[in-house]
mmCIF file with all atom_site columns, all heavy atoms in Angstrom:
data_model
loop_
_atom_site.group_PDB
_atom_site.id
_atom_site.type_symbol
_atom_site.label_atom_id
_atom_site.label_alt_id
_atom_site.label_comp_id
_atom_site.label_asym_id
_atom_site.label_entity_id
_atom_site.label_seq_id
_atom_site.pdbx_PDB_ins_code
_atom_site.Cartn_x
_atom_site.Cartn_y
_atom_site.Cartn_z
_atom_site.occupancy
_atom_site.B_iso_or_equiv
_atom_site.pdbx_formal_charge
_atom_site.auth_seq_id
_atom_site.auth_comp_id
_atom_site.auth_asym_id
_atom_site.auth_atom_id
_atom_site.pdbx_PDB_model_num
ATOM 1   N N   . ALA A 1 23  ? 12.375  -3.325  9.594   1.00 92.00 ? 23  ALA A N   1
ATOM 2   C CA  . ALA A 1 23  ? 13.196  -2.457  8.682   1.00 92.00 ? 23  ALA A CA  1
ATOM 3   C C   . ALA A 1 23  ? 13.788  -3.202  7.578   1.00 92.00 ? 23  ALA A C   1
ATOM 4   O O   . ALA A 1 23  ? 13.858  -2.794  6.413   1.00 92.00 ? 23  ALA A O   1
ATOM 5   C CB  . ALA A 1 23  ? 14.230  -1.702  9.506   1.00 92.00 ? 23  ALA A CB  1
ATOM 6   N N   . ALA A 1 34  ? 13.123  -2.033  -6.709  1.00 96.00 ? 34  ALA A N   1
ATOM 7   C CA  . ALA A 1 34  ? 14.159  -1.260  -7.385  1.00 96.00 ? 34  ALA A CA  1
ATOM 8   C C   . ALA A 1 34  ? 14.733  -2.007  -8.582  1.00 96.00 ? 34  ALA A C   1
ATOM 9   O O   . ALA A 1 34  ? 15.052  -1.373  -9.601  1.00 96.00 ? 34  ALA A O   1
ATOM 10  C CB  . ALA A 1 34  ? 15.248  -0.819  -6.401  1.00 96.00 ? 34  ALA A CB  1
ATOM 11  N N   . PHE A 1 39  ? 15.258  -1.932  -14.456 1.00 94.00 ? 39  PHE A N   1
ATOM 12  C CA  . PHE A 1 39  ? 15.245  -2.481  -15.793 1.00 94.00 ? 39  PHE A CA  1
ATOM 13  C C   . PHE A 1 39  ? 14.053  -2.047  -16.584 1.00 94.00 ? 39  PHE A C   1
ATOM 14  O O   . PHE A 1 39  ? 14.144  -1.880  -17.810 1.00 94.00 ? 39  PHE A O   1
ATOM 15  C CB  . PHE A 1 39  ? 15.350  -4.002  -15.769 1.00 94.00 ? 39  PHE A CB  1
ATOM 16  C CG  . PHE A 1 39  ? 15.616  -4.598  -17.117 1.00 94.00 ? 39  PHE A CG  1
ATOM 17  C CD1 . PHE A 1 39  ? 16.859  -4.486  -17.682 1.00 94.00 ? 39  PHE A CD1 1
ATOM 18  C CD2 . PHE A 1 39  ? 14.594  -5.174  -17.910 1.00 94.00 ? 39  PHE A CD2 1
ATOM 19  C CE1 . PHE A 1 39  ? 17.145  -5.011  -19.000 1.00 94.00 ? 39  PHE A CE1 1
ATOM 20  C CE2 . PHE A 1 39  ? 14.849  -5.648  -19.179 1.00 94.00 ? 39  PHE A CE2 1
ATOM 21  C CZ  . PHE A 1 39  ? 16.133  -5.568  -19.719 1.00 94.00 ? 39  PHE A CZ  1
ATOM 22  N N   . ARG A 1 43  ? 14.160  -0.361  -20.315 1.00 90.00 ? 43  ARG A N   1
ATOM 23  C CA  . ARG A 1 43  ? 13.507  -0.891  -21.473 1.00 90.00 ? 43  ARG A CA  1
ATOM 24  C C   . ARG A 1 43  ? 12.820  0.288   -22.282 1.00 90.00 ? 43  ARG A C   1
ATOM 25  O O   . ARG A 1 43  ? 12.762  0.196   -23.481 1.00 90.00 ? 43  ARG A O   1
ATOM 26  C CB  . ARG A 1 43  ? 12.387  -1.905  -21.062 1.00 90.00 ? 43  ARG A CB  1
ATOM 27  C CG  . ARG A 1 43  ? 12.936  -3.254  -20.727 1.00 90.00 ? 43  ARG A CG  1
ATOM 28  C CD  . ARG A 1 43  ? 11.795  -4.270  -20.684 1.00 90.00 ? 43  ARG A CD  1
ATOM 29  N NE  . ARG A 1 43  ? 10.619  -3.894  -19.926 1.00 90.00 ? 43  ARG A NE  1
ATOM 30  C CZ  . ARG A 1 43  ? 9.460   -3.528  -20.466 1.00 90.00 ? 43  ARG A CZ  1
ATOM 31  N NH1 . ARG A 1 43  ? 9.321   -3.539  -21.808 1.00 90.00 ? 43  ARG A NH1 1
ATOM 32  N NH2 . ARG A 1 43  ? 8.428   -3.193  -19.732 1.00 90.00 ? 43  ARG A NH2 1
ATOM 33  N N   . ALA A 1 50  ? 16.138  16.758  -18.672 1.00 44.00 ? 50  ALA A N   1
ATOM 34  C CA  . ALA A 1 50  ? 15.025  17.286  -17.810 1.00 44.00 ? 50  ALA A CA  1
ATOM 35  C C   . ALA A 1 50  ? 14.875  18.757  -18.003 1.00 44.00 ? 50  ALA A C   1
ATOM 36  O O   . ALA A 1 50  ? 15.720  19.481  -18.547 1.00 44.00 ? 50  ALA A O   1
ATOM 37  C CB  . ALA A 1 50  ? 15.241  16.917  -16.355 1.00 44.00 ? 50  ALA A CB  1
ATOM 38  N N   . ARG A 1 53  ? 11.018  22.636  -20.275 1.00 52.00 ? 53  ARG A N   1
ATOM 39  C CA  . ARG A 1 53  ? 10.125  23.771  -20.328 1.00 52.00 ? 53  ARG A CA  1
ATOM 40  C C   . ARG A 1 53  ? 10.700  25.048  -19.763 1.00 52.00 ? 53  ARG A C   1
ATOM 41  O O   . ARG A 1 53  ? 10.093  26.100  -19.891 1.00 52.00 ? 53  ARG A O   1
ATOM 42  C CB  . ARG A 1 53  ? 8.783   23.425  -19.652 1.00 52.00 ? 53  ARG A CB  1
ATOM 43  C CG  . ARG A 1 53  ? 8.963   23.200  -18.157 1.00 52.00 ? 53  ARG A CG  1
ATOM 44  C CD  . ARG A 1 53  ? 7.571   22.908  -17.573 1.00 52.00 ? 53  ARG A CD  1
ATOM 45  N NE  . ARG A 1 53  ? 7.625   22.641  -16.134 1.00 52.00 ? 53  ARG A NE  1
ATOM 46  C CZ  . ARG A 1 53  ? 7.780   21.412  -15.613 1.00 52.00 ? 53  ARG A CZ  1
ATOM 47  N NH1 . ARG A 1 53  ? 7.918   20.407  -16.420 1.00 52.00 ? 53  ARG A NH1 1
ATOM 48  N NH2 . ARG A 1 53  ? 7.816   21.255  -14.312 1.00 52.00 ? 53  ARG A NH2 1
ATOM 49  N N   . PRO A 1 60  ? 17.116  25.833  -13.150 1.00 75.00 ? 60  PRO A N   1
ATOM 50  C CA  . PRO A 1 60  ? 15.844  25.260  -12.576 1.00 75.00 ? 60  PRO A CA  1
ATOM 51  C C   . PRO A 1 60  ? 16.001  24.903  -11.105 1.00 75.00 ? 60  PRO A C   1
ATOM 52  O O   . PRO A 1 60  ? 17.127  25.058  -10.502 1.00 75.00 ? 60  PRO A O   1
ATOM 53  C CB  . PRO A 1 60  ? 15.726  24.000  -13.435 1.00 75.00 ? 60  PRO A CB  1
ATOM 54  C CG  . PRO A 1 60  ? 17.150  23.629  -13.800 1.00 75.00 ? 60  PRO A CG  1
ATOM 55  C CD  . PRO A 1 60  ? 17.827  24.925  -13.959 1.00 75.00 ? 60  PRO A CD  1
ATOM 56  N N   . SER A 1 87  ? 23.534  -2.005  0.038   1.00 94.00 ? 87  SER A N   1
ATOM 57  C CA  . SER A 1 87  ? 24.453  -1.662  1.103   1.00 94.00 ? 87  SER A CA  1
ATOM 58  C C   . SER A 1 87  ? 23.745  -1.775  2.453   1.00 94.00 ? 87  SER A C   1
ATOM 59  O O   . SER A 1 87  ? 24.312  -2.287  3.402   1.00 94.00 ? 87  SER A O   1
ATOM 60  C CB  . SER A 1 87  ? 25.042  -0.299  0.879   1.00 94.00 ? 87  SER A CB  1
ATOM 61  O OG  . SER A 1 87  ? 25.874  0.089   1.966   1.00 94.00 ? 87  SER A OG  1
ATOM 62  N N   . LEU A 1 89  ? 21.343  -3.654  3.264   1.00 95.00 ? 89  LEU A N   1
ATOM 63  C CA  . LEU A 1 89  ? 21.012  -5.047  3.597   1.00 95.00 ? 89  LEU A CA  1
ATOM 64  C C   . LEU A 1 89  ? 22.325  -5.861  3.707   1.00 95.00 ? 89  LEU A C   1
ATOM 65  O O   . LEU A 1 89  ? 22.232  -7.077  3.966   1.00 95.00 ? 89  LEU A O   1
ATOM 66  C CB  . LEU A 1 89  ? 20.133  -5.637  2.520   1.00 95.00 ? 89  LEU A CB  1
ATOM 67  C CG  . LEU A 1 89  ? 18.698  -5.194  2.506   1.00 95.00 ? 89  LEU A CG  1
ATOM 68  C CD1 . LEU A 1 89  ? 17.976  -5.533  1.222   1.00 95.00 ? 89  LEU A CD1 1
ATOM 69  C CD2 . LEU A 1 89  ? 17.933  -5.787  3.734   1.00 95.00 ? 89  LEU A CD2 1
ATOM 70  N N   . ASP A 1 98  ? 27.523  -0.909  -17.595 1.00 81.00 ? 98  ASP A N   1
ATOM 71  C CA  . ASP A 1 98  ? 26.831  0.007   -18.500 1.00 81.00 ? 98  ASP A CA  1
ATOM 72  C C   . ASP A 1 98  ? 25.958  0.945   -17.712 1.00 81.00 ? 98  ASP A C   1
ATOM 73  O O   . ASP A 1 98  ? 25.910  2.172   -18.085 1.00 81.00 ? 98  ASP A O   1
ATOM 74  C CB  . ASP A 1 98  ? 25.869  -0.809  -19.396 1.00 81.00 ? 98  ASP A CB  1
ATOM 75  C CG  . ASP A 1 98  ? 26.643  -1.754  -20.307 1.00 81.00 ? 98  ASP A CG  1
ATOM 76  O OD1 . ASP A 1 98  ? 27.412  -1.241  -21.189 1.00 81.00 ? 98  ASP A OD1 1
ATOM 77  O OD2 . ASP A 1 98  ? 26.487  -2.990  -20.158 1.00 81.00 ? 98  ASP A OD2 1
ATOM 78  N N   . ARG A 1 116 ? 20.761  -3.584  -23.591 1.00 89.00 ? 116 ARG A N   1
ATOM 79  C CA  . ARG A 1 116 ? 19.699  -4.015  -22.667 1.00 89.00 ? 116 ARG A CA  1
ATOM 80  C C   . ARG A 1 116 ? 19.855  -5.539  -22.290 1.00 89.00 ? 116 ARG A C   1
ATOM 81  O O   . ARG A 1 116 ? 19.592  -5.859  -21.118 1.00 89.00 ? 116 ARG A O   1
ATOM 82  C CB  . ARG A 1 116 ? 18.323  -3.826  -23.323 1.00 89.00 ? 116 ARG A CB  1
ATOM 83  C CG  . ARG A 1 116 ? 17.913  -2.366  -23.436 1.00 89.00 ? 116 ARG A CG  1
ATOM 84  C CD  . ARG A 1 116 ? 16.521  -2.194  -23.969 1.00 89.00 ? 116 ARG A CD  1
ATOM 85  N NE  . ARG A 1 116 ? 16.039  -0.848  -24.043 1.00 89.00 ? 116 ARG A NE  1
ATOM 86  C CZ  . ARG A 1 116 ? 16.200  -0.082  -25.161 1.00 89.00 ? 116 ARG A CZ  1
ATOM 87  N NH1 . ARG A 1 116 ? 16.738  -0.569  -26.216 1.00 89.00 ? 116 ARG A NH1 1
ATOM 88  N NH2 . ARG A 1 116 ? 15.775  1.189   -25.109 1.00 89.00 ? 116 ARG A NH2 1
ATOM 89  N N   . CYS A 1 201 ? -0.766  -0.860  3.766   1.00 92.00 ? 201 CYS A N   1
ATOM 90  C CA  . CYS A 1 201 ? -1.142  -2.077  3.153   1.00 92.00 ? 201 CYS A CA  1
ATOM 91  C C   . CYS A 1 201 ? -2.600  -2.091  2.744   1.00 92.00 ? 201 CYS A C   1
ATOM 92  O O   . CYS A 1 201 ? -2.989  -2.627  1.723   1.00 92.00 ? 201 CYS A O   1
ATOM 93  C CB  . CYS A 1 201 ? -0.856  -3.264  4.124   1.00 92.00 ? 201 CYS A CB  1
ATOM 94  S SG  . CYS A 1 201 ? 0.890   -3.474  4.557   1.00 92.00 ? 201 CYS A SG  1
ATOM 95  N N   . SER A 1 216 ? -14.737 -3.825  -18.874 1.00 93.00 ? 216 SER A N   1
ATOM 96  C CA  . SER A 1 216 ? -14.635 -2.395  -19.086 1.00 93.00 ? 216 SER A CA  1
ATOM 97  C C   . SER A 1 216 ? -13.245 -1.940  -19.477 1.00 93.00 ? 216 SER A C   1
ATOM 98  O O   . SER A 1 216 ? -13.022 -1.199  -20.423 1.00 93.00 ? 216 SER A O   1
ATOM 99  C CB  . SER A 1 216 ? -15.019 -1.614  -17.780 1.00 93.00 ? 216 SER A CB  1
ATOM 100 O OG  . SER A 1 216 ? -16.396 -1.867  -17.479 1.00 93.00 ? 216 SER A OG  1
ATOM 101 N N   . GLN A 1 252 ? -0.686  5.246   -10.769 1.00 96.00 ? 252 GLN A N   1
ATOM 102 C CA  . GLN A 1 252 ? -1.049  4.384   -9.582  1.00 96.00 ? 252 GLN A CA  1
ATOM 103 C C   . GLN A 1 252 ? 0.234   3.739   -9.073  1.00 96.00 ? 252 GLN A C   1
ATOM 104 O O   . GLN A 1 252 ? 0.426   3.685   -7.848  1.00 96.00 ? 252 GLN A O   1
ATOM 105 C CB  . GLN A 1 252 ? -2.046  3.322   -10.050 1.00 96.00 ? 252 GLN A CB  1
ATOM 106 C CG  . GLN A 1 252 ? -2.452  2.424   -8.911  1.00 96.00 ? 252 GLN A CG  1
ATOM 107 C CD  . GLN A 1 252 ? -3.236  3.145   -7.838  1.00 96.00 ? 252 GLN A CD  1
ATOM 108 O OE1 . GLN A 1 252 ? -4.372  3.437   -8.021  1.00 96.00 ? 252 GLN A OE1 1
ATOM 109 N NE2 . GLN A 1 252 ? -2.613  3.434   -6.724  1.00 96.00 ? 252 GLN A NE2 1
ATOM 110 N N   . ALA A 1 282 ? -16.239 10.257  15.290  1.00 79.00 ? 282 ALA A N   1
ATOM 111 C CA  . ALA A 1 282 ? -16.170 8.937   16.019  1.00 79.00 ? 282 ALA A CA  1
ATOM 112 C C   . ALA A 1 282 ? -16.608 9.080   17.493  1.00 79.00 ? 282 ALA A C   1
ATOM 113 O O   . ALA A 1 282 ? -17.339 8.241   18.014  1.00 79.00 ? 282 ALA A O   1
ATOM 114 C CB  . ALA A 1 282 ? -14.773 8.378   15.900  1.00 79.00 ? 282 ALA A CB  1
ATOM 115 N N   . ALA A 1 294 ? -27.286 2.516   27.305  1.00 70.00 ? 294 ALA A N   1
ATOM 116 C CA  . ALA A 1 294 ? -27.625 2.762   28.701  1.00 70.00 ? 294 ALA A CA  1
ATOM 117 C C   . ALA A 1 294 ? -29.132 2.882   28.849  1.00 70.00 ? 294 ALA A C   1
ATOM 118 O O   . ALA A 1 294 ? -29.738 2.402   29.851  1.00 70.00 ? 294 ALA A O   1
ATOM 119 C CB  . ALA A 1 294 ? -26.936 4.024   29.217  1.00 70.00 ? 294 ALA A CB  1
ATOM 120 N N   . LEU A 1 342 ? -19.661 -8.062  40.042  1.00 62.00 ? 342 LEU A N   1
ATOM 121 C CA  . LEU A 1 342 ? -19.896 -8.466  38.619  1.00 62.00 ? 342 LEU A CA  1
ATOM 122 C C   . LEU A 1 342 ? -20.125 -7.249  37.764  1.00 62.00 ? 342 LEU A C   1
ATOM 123 O O   . LEU A 1 342 ? -19.561 -7.108  36.687  1.00 62.00 ? 342 LEU A O   1
ATOM 124 C CB  . LEU A 1 342 ? -21.208 -9.354  38.601  1.00 62.00 ? 342 LEU A CB  1
ATOM 125 C CG  . LEU A 1 342 ? -21.638 -9.820  37.149  1.00 62.00 ? 342 LEU A CG  1
ATOM 126 C CD1 . LEU A 1 342 ? -20.505 -10.632 36.532  1.00 62.00 ? 342 LEU A CD1 1
ATOM 127 C CD2 . LEU A 1 342 ? -22.915 -10.579 37.246  1.00 62.00 ? 342 LEU A CD2 1
ATOM 128 N N   . VAL A 1 376 ? -5.848  5.750   -8.117  1.00 95.00 ? 376 VAL A N   1
ATOM 129 C CA  . VAL A 1 376 ? -5.970  6.450   -9.412  1.00 95.00 ? 376 VAL A CA  1
ATOM 130 C C   . VAL A 1 376 ? -6.992  5.666   -10.224 1.00 95.00 ? 376 VAL A C   1
ATOM 131 O O   . VAL A 1 376 ? -6.750  4.525   -10.610 1.00 95.00 ? 376 VAL A O   1
ATOM 132 C CB  . VAL A 1 376 ? -4.622  6.475   -10.114 1.00 95.00 ? 376 VAL A CB  1
ATOM 133 C CG1 . VAL A 1 376 ? -4.765  7.144   -11.508 1.00 95.00 ? 376 VAL A CG1 1
ATOM 134 C CG2 . VAL A 1 376 ? -3.585  7.267   -9.265  1.00 95.00 ? 376 VAL A CG2 1
#
Side-chain angles (χ1 to χ4, degrees):
F39 191 76
R43 284 197 309 109
R53 63 176 179 270
S87 175
L89 287 166
D98 297 296
R116 289 186 177 92
C201 298
S216 299
Q252 182 65 76
L342 179 61
V376 177

